[in-house]
Amino acid sequence: MRKDLKLFMVMLGCKPEGRFTEQHDIFFGIGSSLKDLLPQMIEFWPEAKGKIHIDAYREVNHVDRYNVMVKEREKDSSPLQLFFLNLGGYKENEFEEYHYKILTITQSKAEAVKNAKESAFYKHCGFEGAPSHIDDKYGVDVDDIYTIEEILSDSIKQKYQLYYTKSSEQLEDELHIGYLKIDKLR
């Protein structure tokens, strides 16, 4: 097994043909570097026709007092799962839906939703008639909730799995925020 493999969370942006504003999506991939993920990112968003850029990325190493590692796929897996939640919320008199992305490690979607409801974003981005929500349909009006392993590409899922070890301290991943042309990675 290659020890340098990491899970990456990448916010991709582009303005697909026929759209008036830039669109965004979140890509998760496994590789040694962001550059390794370029073919996967381009394949992930075919409508962009390769004209994507990166607005933010994170090498996912630490979540909820767990260390996150990539290992070769085994039959046995942990009851723990890494969940990705896309929270949506509003501010009074602002013509916008704001989003906040959360990663959490739990055993169930219900626990993941409970953790998301404890976030400052969930508590403060909403008002009467326009409450914060998690986009999808899991009781709270969840915008999006997925386990990372279910949204990784099929070829990656067949080779690798995520492994979690408890940490004695709360470590935070470095966030890389700002516009990055994918041509700079080539």
Side-chain angles (χ1 to χ4, degrees), residues 14-19 23 25 41-52:
C14 80
K15 188 173 144 196
E17 193 174 314
R19 298 290 174 204
Q23 312 287 292
D25 206 346
M41 287 188 277
I42 291 168
E43 183 181 322
F44 170 75
W45 203 343
E47 302 83 4
K49 299 180 181 170
K51 296 179 181 178
I52 59 174

Side-chain angles (χ1 to χ4, degrees), residues 106-125:
T106 67
Q107 291 188 25
S108 70
K109 285 184 178 181
E111 287 177 86
V113 168
K114 181 181 175 205
N115 288 352
K117 287 175 142 184
E118 296 299 316
S119 72
F121 179 90
Y122 192 87
K123 292 176 182 177
H124 300 294
C125 278

